[in-house]
Amino acid sequence: MTKPRQDVNNNSVLHSSAYYLQKIITGLVSLLSGMGVTIHYFVNPSRIITQQYPENRESLRMMDRFRGHLIMIHDANNQHHCTGCGICEKACPNGTISVLTTQNLAGNKMLGRYLYRFSQCTLCNLCVESCPFGAITMGQDFELAKYDRQLLTYILNKT
Ligand code: SF4
Ligand code: SF4
């Protein structure tokens, strides 16, 4: 025995209504969930991690683990701890570093120029970890783009 045509139509309307209602409830739950996040950060502004860059350029500090590019650590008198041993150069997997040495007045080997090609650096940190004297580290500068590739080669030692 087949169902009357009117019953079939009623069932179809009921299913459509239930589906429509379910979608409205899902949408409301999603909306409230999103508003919950917004309200959470509104009442806890110290927990906001989004930065208003570049407006905050002067005060912006990167996280400790951020790796800008390699720098040589200098003290207040512009002295560094690099001996020119070349261990970091050997540790670098892609030839980013060239340690050019010279001799001091006593004839001992010392650092001449420490060349660092930022355009080749993968920021892997192997050079920093390999240095036995703690002479280099990853800097915190983050505005490092240049128009000319040649400008991405740095001499890291100031003396
Ligand atoms: S930075 Fe460290 S590992 Fe590299 S040449 Fe200088 S002292 Fe040696
Ligand atoms: S961070 Fe890695 S790729 Fe860059 S200079 Fe150091 S060892 Fe080489």
Side-chain angles (χ1 to χ4, degrees), residues 72 80-89 97 99 111 114 127-128 130-136:
M72 184 166 286
H80 55 75
H81 293 293
C82 179
T83 62
C85 68
I87 292 175
C88 56
E89 184 179 355
I97 298 168
V99 178
L111 179 65
Y114 192 104
C127 52
V128 175
S130 72
C131 177
F133 304 102
I136 48 177

Side-chain angles (χ1 to χ4, degrees), residues 15 61-62 152-153:
H15 277 122
R61 285 193 53 77
M62 304 304 283
L152 293 173
T153 298

Side-chain angles (χ1 to χ4, degrees), residues 8-36:
V8 173
N9 284 342
N10 284 345
N11 279 341
S12 173
V13 169
L14 273 175
H15 277 122
S16 295
S17 299
Y19 177 75
Y20 188 59
L21 195 60
Q22 185 193 12
K23 285 289 178 191
I24 289 175
I25 292 169
T26 306
L28 278 174
V29 169
S30 171
L31 179 67
L32 289 173
S33 166
M35 285 180 68

Side-chain angles (χ1 to χ4, degrees), residues 70 88 91-97 116 120-128 138:
L70 191 65
C88 56
C92 179
N94 48 12
T96 302
I97 298 168
Y116 168 66
Q120 293 173 219
C121 181
T122 58
L123 305 173
C124 67
N125 210 42
L126 287 175
C127 52
V128 175
M138 286 295 174

